Amino acid sequence: MFKPHIQQYFFIILTVFIIQGCVSVPSDIIMPTWDTNLNVPFATKSYTLADIIKSQNYISISAAQDSIYLINSDTVKQSVSIGNFIKVSMGGTVSIPIIPTDGTEYQLTVPFPENAELDSATFVKGTLKITGYNTSTISSSVITVRIPGIILPNGSQATLSVNVPINSTRTDSLNLAGATYLAPATQFFPGFDMYAKATGTFGKVSLDTYTSDFYFSRVTGYLPTKSLGLQSSTLALNLGDATKYRDKVFLKTGTLNLLGKYVASAPNPFVIKIDSLKILGKRNNSGETMYLSYNTPQDTFRFNSDNTLSLPAYTESNSNITSFITFLPDSLKITAGYIMNPDNSKSYHTATSTDIVKFTSNFSTKSFLAIKQTSFLDTLALDMSQDNRDQIAKGQGVTAISNIQNAIALSSWVKVTLTDQYYHPLFVVTRDTITHADSISLAGAAVDINGNVTNPGASTTTISLDSTQIKLLAQSAHFALVSVTVSTTGVNNAPVIIRAKDWIKLNVYGSVNYRIKGDNK
Amino acid sequence: MKKIILTFAVILSLSCYSFAQFGSVGIVDAKSMSLGKTYNANTDGIYSIGINPANMMFSPSSHFEFSTVLPLPALSMRVGTNFMSFDDFNYFFGGVNGNARYLTSSDKQKLFGLFSNSGKVFMNASFTTFSAMYKANSEVGAFGFSMADFIGGGFTVPKAIVDLGLNGNNPGQVYSFNDVDAQGWWIREYSLSYARELPEIRQSFFDKIAVGLSIKMVQGFAYFGVDHVNTNLTTGTGNQLSFTSQWMIKSAFSSDFGKIYDYDSLNTSKSSVGPFLTPAGTGVGLDFGVSAAYDKVWRFSLAITDIGKINWDQNTAEYSGNGNISITDLTDSTQRQNLQDTLRGKGHATSGFSTDLPTAFRLGASYNLVDVIPGTLLVAMDYNQGFNNVPGNSKIARWSLGADWGPFGWLNVRTGFSVGGVDGFGWAFGIGLNTGTLEFFFATSDMNQVVIGNSAKMFTVSIGSRWNF
């Protein structure tokens, strides 16, 4: 029994030896590494202009109307005070030949300057001047006048007395500033009633009253046609980045709306007319100016019965609006003369010194333009995580072919330069492998003579990055300097139509030479 | 779920297309393994169970034998691939001076060439905990019992994946992943066998004719398998990537493994694996065989084994993906997510499914050469034909030839050749030591792999012992 057991053990050992000894395996399994080419679609996208041009402050899209408002100003508002006060200045003299000296009052009606007819008024400024004459050689005379309709700021009736010595003349005045006027119910004639009496004997006492330069902060009644003078106001347009298009864009359409509103603080205001309206655009930096004007001169307008003033919109057909918007001013200066009661209507109205005219204005140009060849620069930060950078670093080479179908009548050239964190250029990404041009060209759509797109433009570009460039991209690139040069495809800068639904199709595909690495420890 | 299935794939994949006494191509006991898996007309005793129970009648009368874990467990294991040798493995995965090997174009070509006949990875193991047989006499017959576990699995790496990984995707080329395959299970069979001679058949041609029958109770503890795959990738104009993806995986796991499925969020059970698991599937199998002896030196055998199914009805799931996806824009996260969802698929619980047992037809003949060379020499030849391709079985017929030489009473030298099946050619070698009461067996069915050293792609080890009384 023993011997067979020895032999059995021998065969067991032999078997194990055969199996174990004839095979060697690595102590550590190390995954190999290799390069492989992956042919992948990098991007296939279709954009409409409405997608590309996101609505912003001054460029907006109306996809529903298939319109692009390339420049769409804010609605700007400005208030123009039409006068610090209402003035009637052309005064006159009214005389009382003989004033009784027996204590009875002599009544007369003194007209307002310029024959205004007031029902009520508040004086800002005004003077009532009286001159008394005393022909008596015996006694002096005291002439007293009172005006029941005028209440002084202290609440008392306007009263003025002048002591005229023997055979003399004396003048005195009453300051009406702050006084109010309310026509008494018993007053039937235009002007204001004044009562005068005198003391003294043996002579003739007479009186001259003189009124002029009445300034009212509020007045109700009839005022003759009156110019309130030229007033001007400046509206800042604040077009933001839209000013980048200055001197680069020709616009074929444009609209400017100007709406006025006469805002009166009291009901039943006077009718207002404006004349000599001028709209002046101004660029802040250069000081250059340009007037906006109708083709047929027209500068006089009347407020409607609802106190609104609606000027015909300035359009490309009735004005120089396209040149004006192309000029892209920073501000609008609106100057106008204001005329109150232009028809000299006798009916009563109210005017106050706080009455204003509010102007509302905006302008826009709608997707019909020509762009000279011009460039825009932008700097984009490359926001990549370290993991992203590590994955990119495994790339050994990239070849990308971009096929672009462009149904927008804009040609463009795009150059992208990668820089390090100090903006030192690393390399140009957009170098065409075939033409060696350093920018990608996007042919714009062909257009007919009316600027309508006839055929989309087609462009093919091949870009290659080698392993050195990919490493630079992964390790050092922090910014991309993007230079975009655009021009419209119309002949001789003829305007083209840009619509919100115009599209561009992008198909970028190619191969990535990728290094496969195992997760070896 | 993917990780779990993968883990099982690796664990179970310590087997695939072969099992002990299992199917037309499966690994078998050590003695049969040493004969190139030639077993139909030459096995006897406990080794007849699962092959042809009628062979139990060729043991002596009043004979009792059994096999258990002592002194040597009945264990067979086969590990390897059909495409990569140890040399290849060392070359590609051994590094160069401690660094990863950079694959040149010729390296890539060589590596891709290894997969020209598919890339199968497998590991199979079988373990018979206990088996016993008692033959009373020719009238009463013989009785057998065995309890054996079969663990096996494997997967086929699709050639297109290797091509894509190494060489990238070429525009216009269709990359088909339909050859991907993965299947594995862990099952346990309790077999009860009975055999007897048929003296009722009056004939004088054969020395004796015996019939046998085995009834098996099968318990399944784990299963995963690719039900179908129809997935391909095409790179079109503009490098557009078009995926067609239709696939389904079925699985079932014993509840003792705890939570397996990712969709089963309410299941919080923990793994509790012991020697007797709650089955996820059960089934009944049947073996039937006839053997006949002729002229004292010939034996002929015919059997049909493993007729039956396993019904997996506990903890079963289906994972599937279905869709046609086009990637036209890598920057489009929606496209990427759709692709990911389709390729990953979704899982859900099912009411169950069934898998066939590895039903096989077996035919064999053996001849005992007496007085030709010193000692004893048995020569046997088999034909095994599987009726399905479940693990351990193959519809490709397998032929084998084996020789068992006993120069001394205590030593047997065995060898054999096998062709066909899923493994193709194999040269087997083994020895047996017989102390009378106790027999030991050591074998490999892939001696051709052993002798070529590091050029080997697989190795097989089989050991066992048997007590005879």
Side-chain angles (χ1 to χ4, degrees), chain A residues 79-85 227-234 274-278 333-338 357 359:
Chain A
S79 297
V80 180
S81 180
I82 59 173
N84 292 327
F85 32 72
S227 170
L228 301 177
L230 281 175
Q231 306 290 340
S232 64
S233 182
T234 301
I274 64 174
D275 62 7
S276 306
L277 176 69
K278 285 186 171 53
K333 183 178 182 183
I334 301 173
T335 303
Y338 296 86
V357 172
F359 281 110

Side-chain angles (χ1 to χ4, degrees), chain A residues 80-83 86 223-229 231 260-264 268-275 300-310 336-345 349-352 355-359:
Chain A
V80 180
S81 180
I82 59 173
I86 302 106
L223 288 176
T225 300
K226 180 166 287 298
S227 170
L228 301 177
Q231 306 290 340
K261 175 78 175 175
Y262 175 41
V263 181
N268 191 25
F270 284 91
V271 172
I272 298 291
K273 187 177 86 170
I274 64 174
D275 62 7
T300 300
F301 307 94
R302 181 186 290 269
F303 281 83
N304 299 325
S305 57
D306 61 351
N307 295 320
T308 59
L309 175 71
S310 184
Y338 296 86
I339 299 169
M340 187 162 54
N341 192 15
D343 304 322
N344 199 23
S345 166
H349 296 277
T350 300
T352 73
D355 289 355
I356 57 172
V357 172
K358 285 185 176 178
F359 281 110

Side-chain angles (χ1 to χ4, degrees), chain B residues 7 20 31 68-69 82 126 145 148 175 191 203 260 290 303-304 331 343 360 404 455:
Chain B
T7 305
K31 182 181 177 186
T68 184
V69 294
N82 72 338
S126 71
F145 171 79
Y175 294 88
S191 297
Q203 56 86 28
I260 295 287
V290 181
I304 297 177
T331 63
L343 293 182
D404 184 347
S455 296

Side-chain angles (χ1 to χ4, degrees), chain A residues 8 18 26 34-35 39 44-45, chain B residues 90 108 169 328-329 433 450:
Chain A
Q8 289 160 14
I18 288 171
W34 69 93
D35 296 337
N39 293 296
T44 301
K45 294 195 184 298
Chain B
N90 286 338
K108 289 199 283 185
N169 55 323
T328 57
D329 187 343
L433 302 174
V450 175

